[in-house]
């Protein structure tokens, strides 16, 4: 069994801990990230073990676990795709290509024959020697990116390389640090498709699941996540090598998105263009952090040498021990100061939350409601009716209000009263429209749960999501109050008030069956209504996101997978 590196099991692509155990493959544990649709081996082998694994001839000639049976025969099918990629660049002045993980240099030799300046990087000592022996001066092959002369390449390829790297971001940081990426550089990646129907139907025996060669497994969604974190937006992902469709073809707790269009392809081709300054800045920051960690490692080694010298030099032992003791005492002092500061910040946050809750409670009191009624504008019949309704509710005993609740709810929802109020005051109604002309079929369904759908920031947010993403997601709204006349039209709105039974809400949820429930939470007096909705949603197992729109504590429930503030 390989020696493992002990670290926290976070996804190497998105950096989050939204993971589930997937399978065991050849003695390694494989995990699945539900957030970015990636798989990864954890714990991972050390860098020294990976270097020894790739240096051997056995990896390229079928003598190691997860190796090629015959490198030349196994990679011959990739050459047409590689030549097609080279042909997509316009002819003219000599262009340059950098092939990372070039192995025997087969692709670089084909590029050189087409007039390209061909340069490659290969970690394996064995493969590098074969490449030099076969192709001579026709191509240039180096052991690392740091050895390559600085220049900006028109094309950088990583064909079936990314899945071998424990940290996918390190390679892009090194490219930028060494000045190999320009604003016109195109980066081309091929990798096995971890969300193909074959990979999902049989995860442990999937033909590309062979650690320690392959450590991170990508989908179209995770490739886009990778480039988004680097800062590149112009990315094209397409499927390559068609396969027969099998079931099941998707994990039920992952949002399909673009993965559903590549289910029937064994591999993926990803082209990143217009890399630009954002990528260089992010990779520069990645390099600075790595350099800082390296410096910490050097400092730790230096401290270790000092400790050894202390043990040898008895004459200075007492003085150095005292210095170390003083340093430890100062460290403990700083730790206590940090703890005190953290406690003070926690107390301030708790006090602020208590003030907000007290203010919300005060605003629901009878005196505050009476003040708001007396201060209201009564120049319209609508406001006069509203003020009379509030005064009557204020003076009616609680027991009687409870008995009259169904009648009041019926009156408020009756067509006669709604038309009377509508006739007294005309309100402008915004007509929501999906802005994209091409609406996709079988769109994922999203349900917005919001206490009222009047004019305001939260309602406007729902309308913006409907207009700009309606061609990709089918969206509907559930609310306890949709004013008459309505503030918004064109979007499906369903009203469920507090007095309505949970059975009615469950019947609607069973019909609509959303893939995602987006709760716009306000708290305060609307908390009981939100509780009723969440109790109805919980048995269905829908994926739920709670957006906390006001400075209140969130409504915490086991069915909610993410909180947004």
């Amino acid at each position: 069994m390989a020696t493992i590196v002990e670290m926290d099991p976070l996804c190497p692509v998105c950096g989050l801990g939204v993971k589930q155990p997937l399978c065991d493959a050849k003695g390694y544990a494989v995990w699945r990230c539900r957030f970015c649709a990636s798989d990864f081996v954890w714990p991972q082998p050390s860098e020294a073990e990976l270097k020894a694994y790739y240096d051997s001839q056995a990896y390229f000639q079928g003598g190691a676990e997860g190796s090629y049976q015959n490198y030349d025969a196994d990679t011959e099918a990739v050459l047409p795709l590689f030549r097609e990629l080279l042909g997509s660049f316009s002819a003219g002045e000599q262009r340059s290509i950098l092939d990372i993980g070039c192995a025997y240099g087969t692709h670089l030799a084909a590029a050189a024959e087409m007039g390209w300046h061909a340069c490659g990087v290969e970690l394996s000592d064995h493969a590098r020697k074969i490449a030099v022996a076969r192709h001579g001066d026709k191509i240039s092959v180096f052991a690392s990116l740091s050895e390559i002369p600085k220049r900006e390449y028109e094309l950088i390829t990583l064909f079936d390389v990314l899945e071998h790297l424990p940290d996918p971001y390190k390679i892009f940081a090194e490219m930028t640090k060494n000045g190999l990426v320009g604003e016109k550089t195109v980066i081309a990646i091929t990798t096995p498709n971890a969300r193909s129907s074959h990979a999902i139907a049989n995860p442990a025996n999937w033909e590309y699941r062979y650690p320690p060669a392959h450590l991170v497994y990508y989908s179209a969604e995770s490739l886009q996540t990778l480039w988004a974190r680097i800062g590149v937006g112009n990315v094209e992902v397409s499927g390559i090598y068609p396969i027969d469709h099998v079931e099941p073809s998707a994990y039920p707790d992952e949002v399909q998105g673009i993965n559903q269009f590549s289910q029937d392809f064994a591999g993926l081709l990803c082209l990143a263009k217009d890399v630009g300054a954002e990528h260089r800045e992010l990779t520069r920051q990645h390099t600075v952090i790595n350099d800082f960690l390296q410096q910490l490692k050097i400092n730790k080694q230096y401290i270790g040498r000092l400790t050894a010298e202390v043990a040898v030099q008895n004459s200075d032992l007492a003085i150095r021990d005292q210095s170390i003791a003083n340093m430890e005492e100062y460290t403990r002092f700083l730790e206590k100061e940090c703890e005190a500061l953290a406690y003070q910040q926690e107390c301030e946050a708790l006090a602020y939350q208590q003030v907000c809750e007290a203010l919300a409670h005060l605003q629901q009191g009878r005196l505050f409601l009476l003040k708001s009624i007396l201060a209201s504008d009564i120049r319209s019949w609508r406001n006069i009716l509203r003020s009379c309704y509030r005064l009557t509710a204020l003076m009616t005993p609680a027991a009687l209000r409870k008995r009259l609740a169904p009648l009041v709810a019926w009156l408020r929802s009756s067509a006669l009263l709604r038309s009377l109020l509508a006739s007294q005051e005309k309100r402008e109604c915004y007509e929501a429209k999906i802005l994209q002309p091409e609406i996709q079929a079988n769109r994922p369904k999203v349900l917005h749960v919001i206490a009222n759908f009047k004019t305001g920031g939260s309602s406007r947010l729902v309308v913006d999501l409907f207009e700009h993403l309606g061609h990709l997601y089918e969206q509907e709204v559930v609310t306890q109050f949709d004013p008459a006349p309505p503030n918004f039209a064109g979007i499906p709105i369903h009203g469920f008030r507090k007095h309505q039974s949970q059975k009615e809400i469950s019947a609607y949820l069973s019909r609509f069956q959303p893939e995602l429930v987006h709760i716009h939470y306000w708290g305060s007096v609307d908390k009981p209504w939100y509780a009723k909705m969440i109790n109805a949603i919980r048995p269905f197992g829908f994926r739920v996101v709670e957006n906390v729109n006001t400075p209140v504590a969130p409504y915490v429930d086991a069915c909610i997978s993410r909180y947004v503030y």
Side-chain angles (χ1 to χ4, degrees):
M1 185 67 174
T3 304
I4 57 176
V5 180
E6 294 291 342
M7 294 179 67
D8 292 333
L10 301 178
C11 175
V13 179
C14 68
L16 300 179
V18 188
K19 64 189 184 308
Q20 289 187 349
L22 179 61
C23 63
D24 289 329
K26 299 174 178 61
Y28 290 83
V30 181
W31 299 76
R32 175 173 65 87
C33 179
R34 295 184 290 111
F35 182 79
C36 68
S38 301
D39 302 339
F40 59 95
V41 171
W42 200 273
Q44 293 186 345
S46 66
E47 291 186 4
E49 288 173 319
L50 291 175
K51 180 69 168 65
Y53 177 75
Y54 291 119
D55 274 347
S56 67
Q57 179 180 350
Y59 173 73
F60 295 87
Q61 299 299 331
E65 187 69 37
S67 65
Y68 293 98
Q69 294 303 309
N70 181 294
Y71 177 80
D72 290 321
D74 291 351
T75 58
E76 185 176 357
V78 184
L79 279 172
L81 177 64
F82 183 77
R83 289 193 175 97
E84 180 180 354
L85 177 63
L86 296 179
S88 66
F89 287 78
S90 58
E93 61 183 20
Q94 185 185 45
R95 297 186 178 275
S96 58
I97 178 175
L98 171 61
D99 187 15
I100 299 176
C102 65
Y104 290 171
T106 308
H107 296 161
L108 289 175
E113 292 173 0
M114 297 174 66
W116 288 67
H117 172 76
C119 183
V121 175
E122 177 51 53
L123 172 70
S124 169
D125 294 338
H126 165 74
R128 202 165 53 253
K129 291 177 183 178
I130 297 294
V132 173
R134 284 186 179 182
H135 308 296
D137 296 335
K138 184 186 301 184
I139 64 175
S140 301
V141 182
F142 301 89
S144 67
L145 288 172
S146 60
E147 298 178 8
I148 300 177
K150 181 178 180 181
R151 68 172 295 170
E152 294 182 356
Y153 286 85
E154 282 80 6
L155 176 61
I156 298 178
T157 56
L158 295 91
F159 270 41
D160 296 321
V161 170
L162 204 61
E163 62 271 18
H164 295 262
L165 306 180
D167 178 5
Y169 295 94
K170 183 178 179 181
I171 191 74
F172 299 110
E174 291 179 353
M175 290 183 207
T176 303
K177 179 181 178 181
N178 293 285
L180 308 178
V181 178
E183 293 192 4
K184 296 183 179 179
T185 300
V186 176
I187 300 179
I189 298 171
T190 63
T191 189
N193 180 12
R195 290 302 177 268
S196 70
S197 61
H198 287 193
I200 293 172
N202 194 354
N205 298 317
W206 179 39
E207 59 180 325
Y208 298 106
R209 188 90 69 197
Y210 37 77
H214 291 179
L215 300 174
V216 184
Y217 308 88
Y218 296 84
S219 66
E221 181 76 19
S222 56
L223 286 174
Q224 288 199 338
T225 300
L226 174 76
W227 285 112
R229 293 189 72 197
I230 293 175
V232 177
N234 189 356
V235 178
E236 300 174 4
V237 182
S238 57
I240 53 177
Y241 314 133
I243 56 177
D244 296 329
H245 185 83
V246 296
E247 293 292 344
S249 58
Y251 295 113
D253 58 348
E254 292 182 1
V255 177
Q256 279 293 284
I258 62 173
N259 288 339
Q260 63 182 327
F261 302 111
S262 58
Q263 292 177 350
D264 297 333
F265 293 91
L268 298 170
L269 171 64
C270 177
L271 299 178
K273 305 175 182 178
D274 303 327
V275 176
E278 293 86 357
H279 171 233
R280 290 198 297 275
E281 175 59 21
L282 286 173
T283 49
R284 185 194 67 78
Q285 294 175 8
H286 190 279
T287 302
V288 170
I289 293 173
N290 283 340
D291 291 345
F292 176 72
L293 294 175
Q294 184 64 26
Q295 188 61 44
L296 285 180
K297 183 177 180 180
I298 294 172
N299 291 344
K300 184 177 180 180
Q301 295 172 349
Y302 176 68
I303 293 173
R305 287 197 299 271
L306 284 180
T307 304
E309 291 176 7
V310 168
V312 174
Q313 300 173 4
N314 293 327
S315 60
D316 296 335
L317 184 59
I319 298 176
R320 294 185 182 182
D321 282 348
Q322 185 60 44
S323 299
I324 292 173
N326 292 340
M327 184 178 297
E328 290 176 347
E329 181 65 27
Y330 184 64
T331 300
R332 287 193 292 270
F333 169 75
L334 290 179
E335 289 175 349
K336 291 181 179 179
E337 288 291 303
C338 292
E339 290 175 359
L341 180 60
Y343 178 72
Q344 180 182 354
Q345 292 174 342
E346 182 178 350
C347 291
E348 290 176 353
L350 180 60
Y352 176 73
Q353 179 180 347
Q354 291 174 345
V355 169
C356 292
E357 292 177 352
L359 179 59
H361 180 73
L362 180 62
Q363 289 177 341
Q364 301 308 315
R366 290 173 173 262
L367 291 177
F368 189 91
L369 291 174
L370 181 60
K371 174 182 174 296
S372 64
I373 292 171
L374 295 176
S376 62
D377 183 5
I378 59 172
R379 289 178 293 180
S380 70
W381 280 106
R382 181 182 177 87
N383 288 342
I384 291 173
L385 288 173
R386 183 184 295 113
S387 299
C388 291
Y389 170 76
R390 290 180 175 177
L391 282 171
T392 303
L394 191 63
M395 294 184 293
T396 303
L400 183 56
R401 285 204 308 272
K402 185 176 181 180
R403 289 177 173 271
L404 294 175
L407 176 60
V408 173
W410 176 81
L411 288 173
R412 292 178 63 180
S413 62
S414 66
L416 177 60
L417 184 58
R418 292 166 70 95
S419 63
L420 176 60
L421 294 176
S423 65
Q424 298 300 326
E425 179 177 344
K426 293 184 178 178
R427 181 189 294 113
E428 182 178 353
C429 178
Y430 180 83
E431 182 72 23
K433 297 179 180 179
I434 298 176
L435 301 180
Q436 297 295 331
E438 296 182 0
I439 299 178
Q440 296 185 5
N442 299 321
R443 295 166 293 164
K445 297 179 180 180
V446 177
L447 178 63
H448 299 279
V449 178
I450 182 169
N452 71 66
F453 208 56
K454 301 186 295 185
T455 301
S458 299
S459 303
R460 184 65 230 191
L461 169 62
V462 174
V463 173
D464 287 345
L465 292 172
F466 177 79
E467 291 189 326
H468 292 275
L469 297 177
H471 63 297
L472 298 176
Y473 301 93
E474 181 181 347
Q475 303 176 59
E476 293 190 0
V477 176
V478 166
T479 182
Q480 72 167 336
F481 179 65
D482 183 20
N487 293 117
F488 299 101
I491 178 171
I493 303 171
H494 305 275
F496 293 102
R497 298 191 179 273
K498 286 187 285 189
H499 70 275
Q500 290 182 275
S501 68
Q502 187 169 314
K503 183 177 181 181
E504 296 177 272
I505 302 172
S506 299
Y508 164 74
L509 294 172
S510 179
R511 291 194 305 272
F512 187 53
Q513 288 289 327
E515 277 84 358
L516 176 67
V517 178
H518 187 186
I519 296 178
H520 304 258
Y521 184 65
W522 295 345
S524 187
V525 296
D526 296 313
K527 185 175 181 180
W529 180 81
Y530 282 110
K532 173 170 284 192
M533 293 302 303
I534 290 174
N535 288 337
I537 291 167
R538 189 185 303 109
F540 288 91
F542 301 139
R543 189 174 185 182
V544 181
V545 174
E546 181 179 312
N547 189 8
V548 184
N549 292 356
T550 55
V552 298
Y555 190 101
V556 179
D557 193 274
C559 74
I560 299 172
S561 60
R562 183 169 294 275
Y563 298 88
V564 181
Y565 300 89

